[in-house]
Amino acid sequence: MSARDEAVLAVESRSWPGPGPKERAIREQLGISPTRYYQLLNALLDDPQALAHAPVTVNRLRRVRDARRARR
């Protein structure tokens, strides 16, 4: 897993008061757009290394993703 992947998971594991501060942190800390961030994050949810690195975060996001898919 790359350092960028670990940084994406670290940003996602924090609690945020709203979308504004999180998007600002994504741009400042990672140097990427929020759209690219969510693309990378979604790919990480299927990566076994990401699960091993941050199991709580990855499992939480998998549950959210699965629930959204089930509503469709």
Side-chain angles (χ1 to χ4, degrees):
M1 208 164 82
S2 71
R4 181 180 67 180
D5 293 344
E6 291 178 5
V8 167
L9 290 172
V11 168
E12 193 59 32
S13 67
R14 292 180 54 193
S15 66
W16 298 96
K22 182 177 182 179
E23 289 180 0
R24 196 167 28 262
I26 290 168
R27 291 183 191 281
E28 292 173 1
Q29 294 175 14
L30 303 175
I32 58 177
S33 71
T35 301
R36 182 66 181 140
Y37 168 83
Y38 287 109
Q39 290 170 341
L40 293 169
L41 182 61
N42 194 46
L44 284 171
L45 297 184
D46 298 320
D47 185 343
Q49 290 179 338
L51 180 60
H53 179 75
V56 173
T57 300
V58 171
N59 282 325
R60 175 179 55 84
L61 294 171
R62 283 179 176 179
R63 284 191 304 274
V64 170
R65 181 178 67 178
D66 292 345
R68 285 185 180 149
R69 285 181 178 169
R71 284 188 295 226
R72 292 183 186 167

